[in-house]
Coordinates of all heavy atoms in Angstrom, one line a residue:
M1 N 100.2 -88.1 138.0 CA 101.4 -87.6 137.5 C 102.2 -86.8 138.5 O 103.4 -86.7 138.4 CB 101.2 -86.8 136.2 CG 101.0 -87.7 135.1 SD 102.1 -87.3 133.8 CE 101.3 -86.4 132.7
T2 N 101.5 -86.2 139.4 CA 102.2 -85.3 140.3 C 103.1 -86.2 141.2 O 104.2 -85.7 141.6 CB 101.2 -84.6 141.2 OG1 100.3 -85.5 141.8 CG2 100.4 -83.6 140.4
G3 N 102.7 -87.4 141.5 CA 103.6 -88.3 142.3 C 104.8 -88.7 141.5 O 105.9 -88.8 142.1
E4 N 104.7 -88.8 140.2 CA 105.9 -89.2 139.4 C 106.8 -88.0 139.3 O 108.0 -88.1 139.4 CB 105.4 -89.6 138.0 CG 104.7 -90.9 138.0 CD 104.1 -91.2 136.6 OE1 104.2 -90.3 135.7 OE2 103.6 -92.3 136.5
I5 N 106.2 -86.8 139.2 CA 107.1 -85.6 139.1 C 107.8 -85.4 140.4 O 109.0 -85.0 140.5 CB 106.2 -84.4 138.8 CG1 105.7 -84.5 137.3 CG2 107.0 -83.1 138.9 CD1 104.8 -83.4 136.9
I6 N 107.1 -85.6 141.5 CA 107.7 -85.4 142.8 C 108.8 -86.5 143.0 O 109.9 -86.2 143.5 CB 106.7 -85.6 144.0 CG1 105.7 -84.4 143.9 CG2 107.3 -85.7 145.3 CD1 104.5 -84.5 144.9
A7 N 108.6 -87.7 142.5 CA 109.6 -88.7 142.6 C 110.9 -88.4 141.8 O 112.0 -88.5 142.2 CB 109.1 -90.1 142.2
I8 N 110.6 -87.9 140.6 CA 111.7 -87.4 139.7 C 112.5 -86.3 140.3 O 113.7 -86.3 140.3 CB 111.2 -87.1 138.3 CG1 110.6 -88.3 137.6 CG2 112.3 -86.4 137.5 CD1 109.9 -88.0 136.3
L9 N 111.8 -85.3 140.9 CA 112.4 -84.2 141.5 C 113.2 -84.6 142.7 O 114.3 -84.2 143.0 CB 111.4 -83.1 141.9 CG 110.8 -82.3 140.7 CD1 109.7 -81.4 141.3 CD2 111.8 -81.5 140.0
T10 N 112.7 -85.6 143.5 CA 113.3 -86.1 144.7 C 114.6 -86.8 144.3 O 115.7 -86.6 144.9 CB 112.4 -87.0 145.5 OG1 111.2 -86.4 145.8 CG2 113.1 -87.5 146.7
V11 N 114.6 -87.6 143.3 CA 115.8 -88.3 142.8 C 116.8 -87.3 142.3 O 118.0 -87.4 142.5 CB 115.4 -89.3 141.7 CG1 116.6 -89.9 141.0 CG2 114.6 -90.5 142.3
G12 N 116.3 -86.2 141.6 CA 117.2 -85.2 141.0 C 117.9 -84.4 142.2 O 119.1 -84.2 142.1
V13 N 117.1 -84.1 143.2 CA 117.7 -83.4 144.3 C 118.7 -84.3 145.1 O 119.8 -83.8 145.5 CB 116.6 -82.8 145.3 CG1 117.1 -82.3 146.6 CG2 115.8 -81.8 144.6
A14 N 118.4 -85.5 145.2 CA 119.3 -86.5 145.9 C 120.6 -86.6 145.1 O 121.7 -86.6 145.7 CB 118.6 -87.8 146.1
L15 N 120.5 -86.8 143.8 CA 121.7 -86.9 143.0 C 122.5 -85.6 143.0 O 123.7 -85.6 143.1 CB 121.3 -87.2 141.5 CG 120.8 -88.6 141.2 CD1 120.4 -88.7 139.8 CD2 122.0 -89.6 141.5
A16 N 121.8 -84.4 143.0 CA 122.5 -83.2 143.1 C 123.3 -83.1 144.4 O 124.4 -82.6 144.5 CB 121.6 -82.0 142.9
G17 N 122.6 -83.5 145.5 CA 123.3 -83.4 146.8 C 124.5 -84.4 146.9 O 125.5 -84.1 147.4
L18 N 124.3 -85.6 146.3 CA 125.4 -86.5 146.2 C 126.6 -86.0 145.4 O 127.7 -86.1 145.8 CB 124.9 -87.9 145.6 CG 125.9 -89.0 145.6 CD1 126.3 -89.4 147.0 CD2 125.3 -90.2 144.8
I19 N 126.3 -85.4 144.3 CA 127.3 -84.8 143.5 C 128.0 -83.7 144.2 O 129.3 -83.6 144.2 CB 126.7 -84.3 142.1 CG1 126.3 -85.6 141.3 CG2 127.7 -83.5 141.4 CD1 125.5 -85.2 140.0
L20 N 127.3 -82.8 144.8 CA 127.9 -81.7 145.6 C 128.8 -82.2 146.7 O 129.8 -81.6 147.0 CB 126.8 -80.7 146.1 CG 126.1 -79.9 145.0 CD1 125.0 -79.1 145.6 CD2 127.1 -79.0 144.3
T21 N 128.3 -83.2 147.4 CA 129.1 -83.8 148.5 C 130.4 -84.4 148.0 O 131.5 -84.2 148.6 CB 128.3 -84.8 149.3 OG1 127.0 -84.3 149.7 CG2 129.0 -85.4 150.4
S22 N 130.3 -85.1 146.9 CA 131.5 -85.7 146.3 C 132.5 -84.6 145.8 O 133.7 -84.7 146.0 CB 131.1 -86.5 145.1 OG 130.3 -87.6 145.5
V23 N 131.9 -83.6 145.2 CA 132.8 -82.5 144.7 C 133.5 -81.8 145.9 O 134.7 -81.5 145.9 CB 132.0 -81.5 143.9 CG1 132.8 -80.2 143.6 CG2 131.6 -82.1 142.5
H24 N 132.7 -81.6 147.0 CA 133.3 -81.0 148.2 C 134.4 -81.8 148.7 O 135.5 -81.3 149.1 CB 132.2 -80.7 149.2 CG 132.7 -80.1 150.5 ND1 133.1 -78.8 150.5 CD2 132.8 -80.6 151.7 CE1 133.5 -78.5 151.7 NE2 133.3 -79.6 152.5
G25 N 134.2 -83.1 148.8 CA 135.2 -84.0 149.3 C 136.4 -84.0 148.4 O 137.6 -84.0 148.9
L26 N 136.2 -84.0 147.1 CA 137.3 -84.0 146.1 C 138.1 -82.7 146.3 O 139.4 -82.7 146.2 CB 136.8 -84.1 144.7 CG 136.4 -85.5 144.3 CD1 135.8 -85.5 142.9 CD2 137.5 -86.5 144.4
R27 N 137.4 -81.6 146.5 CA 138.1 -80.3 146.7 C 139.0 -80.4 147.9 O 140.1 -79.8 148.0 CB 137.1 -79.2 146.8 CG 136.6 -78.7 145.5 CD 135.7 -77.5 145.7 NE 135.1 -77.1 144.4 CZ 134.2 -76.2 144.2 NH1 133.7 -75.6 145.3 NH2 133.8 -75.9 143.0
G28 N 138.5 -81.0 149.0 CA 139.3 -81.1 150.2 C 140.5 -82.0 150.0 O 141.6 -81.6 150.5
E29 N 140.3 -83.1 149.3 CA 141.5 -83.9 149.0 C 142.5 -83.2 148.1 O 143.7 -83.3 148.3 CB 141.0 -85.2 148.3 CG 140.3 -86.2 149.2 CD 139.9 -87.4 148.5 OE1 140.6 -87.9 147.6 OE2 138.8 -88.0 148.9
I30 N 142.0 -82.5 147.1 CA 142.9 -81.7 146.3 C 143.7 -80.7 147.1 O 144.9 -80.5 146.9 CB 142.2 -81.1 145.1 CG1 141.7 -82.2 144.1 CG2 143.0 -80.0 144.4 CD1 140.8 -81.7 143.0
A31 N 143.0 -80.0 148.0 CA 143.7 -79.0 148.8 C 144.7 -79.6 149.7 O 145.8 -79.1 149.9 CB 142.6 -78.2 149.7
G32 N 144.4 -80.8 150.2 CA 145.4 -81.5 151.0 C 146.6 -81.9 150.2 O 147.7 -81.8 150.7
L33 N 146.4 -82.4 149.0 CA 147.5 -82.8 148.1 C 148.3 -81.6 147.7 O 149.5 -81.7 147.7 CB 146.9 -83.5 146.9 CG 146.4 -84.9 147.1 CD1 145.7 -85.4 145.8 CD2 147.5 -85.9 147.6
R34 N 147.7 -80.5 147.5 CA 148.4 -79.2 147.2 C 149.3 -78.8 148.4 O 150.5 -78.5 148.2 CB 147.5 -78.1 146.9 CG 146.9 -78.1 145.5 CD 146.1 -76.8 145.3 NE 145.5 -76.9 144.0 CZ 144.4 -76.2 143.6 NH1 143.9 -75.4 144.4 NH2 144.0 -76.3 142.4
G35 N 148.8 -78.9 149.6 CA 149.6 -78.6 150.8 C 150.8 -79.6 150.9 O 151.9 -79.1 151.2
D36 N 150.5 -80.8 150.7 CA 151.6 -81.8 150.8 C 152.7 -81.5 149.7 O 153.9 -81.6 150.0 CB 151.1 -83.2 150.6 CG 150.2 -83.7 151.8 OD1 150.2 -83.0 152.8 OD2 149.5 -84.7 151.6
T37 N 152.2 -81.3 148.5 CA 153.1 -81.0 147.4 C 153.9 -79.7 147.7 O 155.2 -79.7 147.5 CB 152.3 -80.8 146.1 OG1 151.6 -82.0 145.8 CG2 153.3 -80.6 144.9
Q38 N 153.3 -78.7 148.2 CA 154.0 -77.5 148.5 C 155.0 -77.7 149.6 O 156.2 -77.2 149.6 CB 153.0 -76.4 148.9 CG 152.3 -75.8 147.7 CD 151.2 -74.8 148.1 OE1 150.9 -74.6 149.3 NE2 150.6 -74.2 147.1
A39 N 154.7 -78.5 150.6 CA 155.6 -78.8 151.7 C 156.8 -79.6 151.2 O 158.0 -79.3 151.5 CB 154.9 -79.6 152.8
Q40 N 156.6 -80.6 150.3 CA 157.6 -81.3 149.7 C 158.5 -80.5 148.8 O 159.7 -80.6 148.8 CB 157.1 -82.5 148.9 CG 156.5 -83.6 149.8 CD 155.9 -84.7 149.0 OE1 155.7 -84.6 147.8 NE2 155.5 -85.8 149.7
M41 N 157.9 -79.5 148.1 CA 158.7 -78.6 147.2 C 159.5 -77.7 148.1 O 160.7 -77.5 147.8 CB 157.7 -77.8 146.4 CG 157.1 -78.5 145.2 SD 158.2 -79.1 144.0 CE 158.7 -77.6 143.3
G42 N 159.0 -77.3 149.2 CA 159.8 -76.5 150.1 C 161.0 -77.2 150.7 O 162.1 -76.7 150.7
E43 N 160.8 -78.5 151.1 CA 161.9 -79.3 151.5 C 162.9 -79.6 150.4 O 164.1 -79.5 150.7 CB 161.4 -80.7 152.0 CG 160.5 -80.6 153.3 CD 159.9 -81.9 153.6 OE1 160.2 -82.9 153.0 OE2 159.1 -81.9 154.6
L44 N 162.4 -79.8 149.2 CA 163.3 -80.0 148.1 C 164.2 -78.8 147.8 O 165.4 -78.8 147.6 CB 162.5 -80.4 146.9 CG 163.3 -80.8 145.6 CD1 164.2 -82.0 145.9 CD2 162.3 -81.1 144.5
R45 N 163.5 -77.6 147.9 CA 164.2 -76.3 147.7 C 165.3 -76.2 148.7 O 166.4 -75.7 148.4 CB 163.3 -75.2 147.7 CG 162.5 -75.0 146.4 CD 161.7 -73.7 146.4 NE 160.9 -73.6 145.2 CZ 159.6 -73.7 145.1 NH1 158.9 -73.9 146.2 NH2 159.0 -73.6 143.9
E46 N 165.0 -76.5 150.0 CA 166.0 -76.3 151.1 C 167.1 -77.3 150.8 O 168.3 -76.9 151.0 CB 165.3 -76.6 152.4 CG 164.4 -75.5 152.9 CD 163.7 -75.9 154.2 OE1 164.1 -76.9 154.8 OE2 162.7 -75.2 154.5
E47 N 166.8 -78.5 150.4 CA 167.9 -79.5 150.2 C 168.8 -79.1 149.0 O 170.0 -79.2 149.1 CB 167.2 -80.9 149.9 CG 168.2 -82.0 149.7 CD 167.6 -83.3 149.5 OE1 166.3 -83.5 149.7 OE2 168.3 -84.3 149.1
I48 N 168.2 -78.6 148.0 CA 168.9 -78.1 146.8 C 169.8 -76.9 147.2 O 171.0 -76.8 146.8 CB 168.0 -77.7 145.6 CG1 167.4 -79.0 145.0 CG2 168.8 -76.9 144.6 CD1 166.3 -78.8 144.0
A49 N 169.3 -76.0 148.0 CA 170.0 -74.8 148.5 C 171.2 -75.3 149.4 O 172.3 -74.8 149.2 CB 169.2 -73.9 149.3
G50 N 171.0 -76.3 150.2 CA 172.1 -76.9 151.0 C 173.2 -77.5 150.2 O 174.4 -77.3 150.4
L51 N 172.7 -78.3 149.2 CA 173.7 -78.9 148.2 C 174.5 -77.8 147.5 O 175.7 -78.0 147.3 CB 173.0 -79.8 147.3 CG 172.4 -81.1 147.9 CD1 171.6 -81.8 146.8 CD2 173.5 -82.0 148.4
R52 N 173.8 -76.8 147.1 CA 174.5 -75.7 146.4 C 175.5 -75.0 147.3 O 176.6 -74.7 146.8 CB 173.4 -74.7 145.9 CG 174.0 -73.5 145.1 CD 173.0 -72.6 144.6 NE 173.6 -71.6 143.8 CZ 172.9 -70.5 143.4 NH1 171.7 -70.3 143.7 NH2 173.5 -69.6 142.7
R53 N 175.2 -74.8 148.5 CA 176.1 -74.2 149.4 C 177.3 -75.1 149.6 O 178.5 -74.6 149.6 CB 175.5 -73.9 150.8 CG 174.6 -72.7 150.8 CD 174.1 -72.3 152.2 NE 173.4 -73.4 152.9 CZ 172.1 -73.5 152.8 NH1 171.3 -72.6 152.1 NH2 171.4 -74.5 153.4
D54 N 177.1 -76.4 149.8 CA 178.2 -77.3 149.9 C 179.1 -77.4 148.7 O 180.3 -77.4 148.8 CB 177.6 -78.8 150.2 CG 176.9 -78.9 151.5 OD1 177.0 -78.0 152.4 OD2 176.2 -79.9 151.7
M55 N 178.5 -77.3 147.5 CA 179.3 -77.3 146.3 C 180.1 -76.1 146.2 O 181.3 -76.1 145.8 CB 178.4 -77.5 145.1 CG 177.9 -78.9 144.9 SD 176.9 -79.1 143.4 CE 178.1 -78.8 142.1
Q56 N 179.5 -74.9 146.5 CA 180.2 -73.7 146.4 C 181.4 -73.7 147.4 O 182.5 -73.2 147.1 CB 179.3 -72.5 146.7 CG 178.3 -72.2 145.6 CD 177.3 -71.1 145.9 OE1 177.1 -70.8 147.1 NE2 176.7 -70.5 144.9
A57 N 181.2 -74.2 148.6 CA 182.3 -74.3 149.6 C 183.4 -75.2 149.1 O 184.6 -74.9 149.2 CB 181.8 -74.8 150.9
E58 N 183.0 -76.3 148.5 CA 184.0 -77.3 148.0 C 184.7 -76.7 146.8 O 186.0 -76.8 146.7 CB 183.3 -78.6 147.5 CG 184.2 -79.7 147.4 CD 183.4 -81.0 147.2 OE1 182.3 -81.2 147.9 OE2 183.8 -81.9 146.4
M59 N 184.0 -76.0 145.9 CA 184.7 -75.3 144.8 C 185.6 -74.2 145.3 O 186.7 -74.1 144.7 CB 183.6 -74.7 143.9 CG 182.7 -75.7 143.2 SD 183.6 -76.6 141.9 CE 183.8 -75.4 140.7
G60 N 185.3 -73.5 146.3 CA 186.2 -72.5 146.9 C 187.5 -73.2 147.4 O 188.6 -72.7 147.1
G61 N 187.3 -74.3 148.1 CA 188.5 -75.1 148.5 C 189.4 -75.5 147.4 O 190.6 -75.5 147.4
L62 N 188.7 -76.0 146.3 CA 189.4 -76.5 145.1 C 190.2 -75.4 144.5 O 191.3 -75.5 144.0 CB 188.5 -77.2 144.2 CG 188.0 -78.6 144.6 CD1 186.9 -79.1 143.6 CD2 189.1 -79.6 144.8
R63 N 189.5 -74.2 144.4 CA 190.2 -73.0 143.8 C 191.5 -72.7 144.6 O 192.5 -72.4 144.0 CB 189.3 -71.8 143.8 CG 188.2 -71.9 142.7 CD 187.4 -70.6 142.7 NE 186.3 -70.8 141.7 CZ 185.0 -70.7 142.0 NH1 184.6 -70.4 143.2 NH2 184.1 -70.9 141.1
G64 N 191.4 -72.8 145.9 CA 192.6 -72.5 146.7 C 193.7 -73.6 146.4 O 194.9 -73.2 146.3
E65 N 193.3 -74.8 146.3 CA 194.3 -75.9 146.0 C 194.9 -75.7 144.6 O 196.1 -75.9 144.4 CB 193.6 -77.2 146.1 CG 193.2 -77.6 147.5 CD 192.5 -79.0 147.6 OE1 192.7 -79.8 146.7 OE2 191.9 -79.2 148.6
I66 N 194.1 -75.3 143.7 CA 194.6 -75.1 142.3 C 195.6 -73.9 142.3 O 196.6 -74.0 141.7 CB 193.4 -74.8 141.3 CG1 192.6 -76.1 141.1 CG2 193.9 -74.2 140.0 CD1 191.3 -75.9 140.3
A67 N 195.3 -72.9 143.1 CA 196.2 -71.7 143.2 C 197.5 -72.2 143.8 O 198.6 -71.8 143.3 CB 195.6 -70.6 144.0
A68 N 197.5 -73.0 144.8 CA 198.7 -73.5 145.4 C 199.5 -74.4 144.5 O 200.7 -74.3 144.4 CB 198.3 -74.3 146.7
L69 N 198.8 -75.2 143.7 CA 199.5 -76.1 142.7 C 200.1 -75.2 141.6 O 201.2 -75.5 141.2 CB 198.5 -77.1 142.1 CG 198.0 -78.2 143.0 CD1 196.9 -79.0 142.3 CD2 199.2 -79.1 143.3
R70 N 199.5 -74.2 141.2 CA 200.1 -73.3 140.2 C 201.3 -72.7 140.7 O 202.3 -72.5 140.0 CB 199.1 -72.2 139.8 CG 198.0 -72.7 138.9 CD 197.1 -71.7 138.4 NE 196.1 -72.2 137.5 CZ 194.9 -71.7 137.2 NH1 194.6 -70.5 137.8 NH2 194.1 -72.2 136.4
G71 N 201.3 -72.3 142.0 CA 202.5 -71.7 142.6 C 203.6 -72.7 142.7 O 204.8 -72.4 142.4
E72 N 203.3 -73.9 143.0 CA 204.3 -75.0 143.1 C 204.9 -75.3 141.7 O 206.1 -75.5 141.6 CB 203.7 -76.3 143.7 CG 203.5 -76.1 145.2 CD 202.8 -77.4 145.8 OE1 202.9 -78.4 145.2 OE2 202.3 -77.3 146.9
I73 N 204.0 -75.3 140.7 CA 204.5 -75.6 139.4 C 205.4 -74.5 138.9 O 206.4 -74.7 138.2 CB 203.3 -75.8 138.4 CG1 202.6 -77.1 138.7 CG2 203.7 -75.7 136.9 CD1 201.3 -77.3 138.0
A74 N 205.1 -73.2 139.2 CA 206.0 -72.1 138.9 C 207.3 -72.2 139.5 O 208.4 -72.0 138.9 CB 205.3 -70.8 139.3
E75 N 207.3 -72.7 140.8 CA 208.6 -72.9 141.5 C 209.4 -74.0 140.8 O 210.6 -73.9 140.6 CB 208.4 -73.3 143.0 CG 207.9 -72.1 143.8 CD 207.6 -72.6 145.3 OE1 208.3 -73.6 145.7 OE2 206.7 -72.0 145.9
I76 N 208.8 -75.1 140.5 CA 209.4 -76.2 139.8 C 210.0 -75.7 138.5 O 211.2 -76.1 138.1 CB 208.5 -77.4 139.6 CG1 208.2 -78.0 141.0 CG2 209.1 -78.4 138.7 CD1 207.1 -79.0 140.9
R77 N 209.3 -74.9 137.7 CA 209.8 -74.4 136.4 C 211.0 -73.5 136.7 O 212.0 -73.6 135.9 CB 208.7 -73.7 135.7 CG 207.6 -74.5 135.1 CD 206.6 -73.7 134.4 NE 205.6 -74.6 133.7 CZ 204.5 -74.2 133.3 NH1 204.1 -73.0 133.4 NH2 203.6 -75.1 132.8
S78 N 210.9 -72.7 137.7 CA 212.1 -71.8 138.0 C 213.3 -72.6 138.3 O 214.4 -72.4 137.8 CB 211.7 -70.9 139.1 OG 212.8 -70.1 139.5
E79 N 213.1 -73.6 139.2 CA 214.2 -74.5 139.6 C 214.8 -75.3 138.4 O 216.0 -75.4 138.3 CB 213.8 -75.5 140.7 CG 213.5 -74.8 142.0 CD 213.0 -75.7 143.1 OE1 212.9 -76.9 142.8 OE2 212.6 -75.2 144.2
L80 N 213.9 -75.7 137.5 CA 214.4 -76.4 136.3 C 215.2 -75.5 135.4 O 216.2 -75.9 134.8 CB 213.1 -77.0 135.6 CG 213.4 -77.9 134.4 CD1 214.2 -79.2 134.9 CD2 212.1 -78.3 133.8
A81 N 214.7 -74.3 135.3 CA 215.5 -73.3 134.5 C 216.9 -73.1 135.1 O 217.9 -73.0 134.3 CB 214.7 -72.0 134.4
Q82 N 217.0 -73.0 136.4 CA 218.3 -72.8 137.0 C 219.2 -74.0 136.8 O 220.4 -73.9 136.6 CB 218.1 -72.6 138.5 CG 217.5 -71.3 138.9 CD 217.2 -71.1 140.4 OE1 217.4 -72.1 141.2 NE2 216.6 -70.0 140.8
L83 N 218.6 -75.2 136.9 CA 219.4 -76.4 136.6 C 219.9 -76.5 135.2 O 221.0 -76.9 134.9 CB 218.5 -77.7 136.9 CG 218.3 -78.0 138.4 CD1 217.3 -79.2 138.5 CD2 219.6 -78.3 139.1
R84 N 219.1 -76.0 134.2 CA 219.5 -76.0 132.8 C 220.7 -75.0 132.7 O 221.7 -75.4 132.0 CB 218.4 -75.5 132.0 CG 217.4 -76.5 131.6 CD 216.4 -76.0 130.5 NE 215.2 -76.8 130.5 CZ 214.0 -76.3 130.6 NH1 213.8 -75.0 130.6 NH2 212.9 -77.1 130.7
E85 N 220.6 -73.9 133.4 CA 221.7 -72.9 133.3 C 223.0 -73.5 133.9 O 224.1 -73.4 133.3 CB 221.3 -71.6 134.0 CG 220.3 -70.8 133.3 CD 219.9 -69.6 134.1 OE1 220.6 -69.2 135.0 OE2 218.9 -69.0 133.7
R86 N 222.9 -74.2 135.0 CA 224.0 -74.8 135.7 C 224.6 -75.9 134.8 O 225.9 -76.0 134.6 CB 223.6 -75.4 137.0 CG 223.4 -74.4 138.1 CD 223.0 -75.1 139.3 NE 222.7 -74.2 140.4 CZ 222.2 -74.6 141.6 NH1 221.9 -75.9 141.8 NH2 222.1 -73.7 142.5
M87 N 223.7 -76.7 134.2 CA 224.2 -77.8 133.3 C 225.0 -77.2 132.1 O 226.0 -77.7 131.7 CB 223.1 -78.7 132.8 CG 222.7 -79.8 133.7 SD 221.4 -80.9 133.1 CE 222.0 -81.3 131.5
A88 N 224.4 -76.1 131.5 CA 225.1 -75.5 130.4 C 226.5 -74.9 130.8 O 227.4 -75.0 130.1 CB 224.2 -74.3 129.9
H89 N 226.5 -74.3 132.0 CA 227.8 -73.8 132.5 C 228.8 -75.0 132.7 O 230.0 -74.9 132.3 CB 227.6 -73.1 133.8 CG 228.8 -72.5 134.4 ND1 229.5 -71.5 133.9 CD2 229.5 -72.9 135.5 CE1 230.5 -71.2 134.6 NE2 230.6 -72.1 135.6
L90 N 228.3 -76.1 133.3 CA 229.2 -77.3 133.4 C 229.7 -77.8 132.1 O 230.8 -78.2 131.9 CB 228.5 -78.3 134.3 CG 228.4 -78.0 135.8 CD1 227.5 -79.1 136.4 CD2 229.7 -77.9 136.4
E91 N 228.7 -77.9 131.1 CA 229.1 -78.4 129.8 C 230.2 -77.5 129.2 O 231.1 -78.0 128.6 CB 227.9 -78.4 128.9 CG 227.0 -79.6 129.2 CD 225.7 -79.6 128.3 OE1 225.5 -78.6 127.6 OE2 224.9 -80.5 128.4
G92 N 230.0 -76.2 129.4 CA 231.1 -75.3 128.9 C 232.4 -75.5 129.5 O 233.5 -75.5 128.9
L93 N 232.4 -75.7 130.9 CA 233.6 -76.0 131.6 C 234.3 -77.3 131.1 O 235.5 -77.4 130.9 CB 233.4 -76.0 133.1 CG 233.1 -74.7 133.8 CD1 232.7 -74.9 135.3 CD2 234.2 -73.7 133.7
L94 N 233.4 -78.3 130.9 CA 233.9 -79.6 130.4 C 234.5 -79.5 129.0 O 235.6 -80.1 128.7 CB 232.9 -80.7 130.5 CG 232.5 -81.2 131.9 CD1 231.3 -82.2 131.8 CD2 233.7 -81.9 132.5
D95 N 233.9 -78.7 128.2 CA 234.4 -78.5 126.8 C 235.8 -77.8 126.9 O 236.7 -78.2 126.2 CB 233.4 -77.7 126.0 CG 232.2 -78.5 125.6 OD1 232.3 -79.7 125.6 OD2 231.2 -77.8 125.2
G96 N 235.9 -76.8 127.8 CA 237.2 -76.1 127.9 C 238.2 -77.0 128.5 O 239.4 -77.0 128.0
L97 N 237.9 -77.9 129.4 CA 238.8 -78.8 130.0 C 239.3 -79.8 129.0 O 240.5 -80.1 128.9 CB 238.2 -79.5 131.2 CG 239.1 -80.5 132.0 CD1 240.3 -79.8 132.6 CD2 238.3 -81.2 133.1
R98 N 238.3 -80.3 128.1 CA 238.7 -81.2 127.1 C 239.7 -80.6 126.1 O 240.6 -81.2 125.7 CB 237.4 -81.6 126.3 CG 237.2 -83.1 126.3 CD 235.9 -83.5 125.5 NE 234.9 -83.8 126.4 CZ 233.6 -83.3 126.4 NH1 233.3 -82.5 125.4 NH2 232.8 -83.6 127.3
E99 N 239.4 -79.4 125.7 CA 240.3 -78.7 124.8 C 241.7 -78.5 125.4 O 242.7 -78.6 124.7 CB 239.7 -77.3 124.4 CG 238.5 -77.5 123.5 CD 237.8 -76.1 123.2 OE1 238.4 -75.1 123.5 OE2 236.7 -76.1 122.6
A100 N 241.7 -78.1 126.7 CA 243.0 -77.9 127.3 C 243.8 -79.3 127.4 O 245.0 -79.3 127.2 CB 242.8 -77.4 128.8
I101 N 243.1 -80.3 127.7 CA 243.8 -81.7 127.8 C 244.2 -82.0 126.4 O 245.3 -82.5 126.2 CB 242.8 -82.7 128.4 CG1 242.6 -82.4 129.9 CG2 243.4 -84.1 128.2 CD1 241.6 -83.3 130.5
A102 N 243.4 -81.8 125.4 CA 243.7 -82.2 124.0 C 244.9 -81.4 123.5 O 245.8 -81.9 122.8 CB 242.5 -82.0 123.1
A103 N 245.0 -80.1 123.9 CA 246.1 -79.2 123.5 C 247.4 -79.7 124.2 O 248.5 -79.7 123.5 CB 245.8 -77.8 123.9
R104 N 247.4 -80.1 125.4 CA 248.6 -80.6 126.1 C 249.0 -81.9 125.5 O 250.3 -82.2 125.3 CB 248.3 -80.9 127.6 CG 248.3 -79.7 128.4 CD 248.3 -80.0 129.8 NE 248.1 -78.8 130.6 CZ 247.8 -78.8 131.9 NH1 247.6 -79.9 132.6 NH2 247.7 -77.7 132.6
V105 N 248.1 -82.8 125.2 CA 248.4 -84.1 124.6 C 249.0 -83.9 123.2 O 250.0 -84.5 122.8 CB 247.2 -85.0 124.5 CG1 247.5 -86.3 123.7 CG2 246.7 -85.4 125.9
A106 N 248.5 -82.9 122.5 CA 249.0 -82.6 121.1 C 250.4 -82.0 121.1 O 251.1 -82.2 120.2 CB 248.0 -81.7 120.4
S107 N 250.7 -81.3 122.2 CA 252.0 -80.6 122.2 C 253.0 -81.5 122.8 O 253.7 -82.3 122.7 CB 252.0 -79.3 123.0 OG 251.2 -79.2 124.0

């Protein structure tokens, strides 16, 4: 029986060594994958930061354009108000001219 026990122990030690070697290999692969993942995450963060900077710059430009458009719209409104006043003045003059002509024709 001692031979059988030795054989069983030998097989057990061999299996334990095989398992430990496999676990060690898996740990190495996992560590490599973690490193790759962290590197990719870093690249992704840099890319996102770059896109964010680009968007902020573009938004700043758009804000400037919007401010310029608001100024132009204010100018157009002012000019339109002036045109309304001029038209009202001309309408008043035309009404007066009409009344003057009508008064001459009537007399």
Side-chain angles (χ1 to χ4, degrees):
M1 279 234 257
T2 57
E4 292 173 354
I5 291 176
I6 292 174
I8 291 172
L9 289 175
T10 304
V11 170
V13 169
L15 286 174
L18 183 63
I19 290 171
L20 289 175
T21 304
S22 296
V23 168
H24 180 68
L26 288 173
R27 282 186 181 171
E29 287 181 34
I30 289 171
L33 289 174
R34 278 185 185 160
D36 292 345
T37 302
Q38 288 175 351
Q40 288 176 350
M41 288 295 291
E43 291 173 8
L44 184 60
R45 284 188 180 110
E46 289 176 13
E47 186 176 345
I48 289 171
L51 290 172
R52 183 177 180 190
R53 282 189 300 271
D54 292 347
M55 283 184 65
Q56 287 174 341
E58 199 170 320
M59 292 291 287
L62 289 174
R63 284 186 184 118
E65 290 178 22
I66 288 171
L69 285 173
R70 285 183 178 160
E72 290 177 17
I73 289 170
E75 287 178 31
I76 290 170
R77 285 182 179 164
S78 174
E79 291 174 7
L80 188 59
Q82 290 174 358
L83 286 173
R84 279 191 204 127
E85 289 176 15
R86 286 180 180 172
M87 274 182 54
H89 181 69
L90 288 174
E91 285 176 351
L93 290 175
L94 285 175
D95 286 341
L97 184 61
R98 233 182 260 132
E99 288 175 11
I101 291 172
R104 280 191 189 169
V105 171
S107 30

